[in-house]
Amino acid sequence: SGVGEGLLDAQKKFITEHLRSWLGSFSKQVENSARLRIYPALADLIYRFVTFHADSFGVKTQEPRTVKP
């Protein structure tokens, strides 16, 4: 449908033009500087959520990252 396709295009554009450029770096900074363990976990959750959706749109994210166990 036209409306559904428009929404998917808007999500793809938002990920491509906004989130992709800084989300990986932000997540790493939170991991390296947070005093409470909850914040790196939340940053990782957001990173993985956005990456999952970016992959479904065929959008490459900034760079692969690994999370310390």
Side-chain angles (χ1 to χ4, degrees), residues 16-53:
T16 302
E17 294 181 5
H18 300 288
L19 295 180
R20 182 176 67 172
S21 65
W22 58 265
L23 187 59
S25 297
F26 172 78
S27 183
K28 286 179 185 178
Q29 287 178 337
V30 170
E31 181 181 327
N32 292 330
S33 63
R35 293 182 183 165
L36 298 175
R37 291 178 18 187
I38 184 98
Y39 296 116
L42 290 172
D44 183 57
L45 176 65
I46 293 166
Y47 178 83
R48 289 173 187 259
F49 179 81
V50 171
T51 299
F52 173 80
H53 284 288

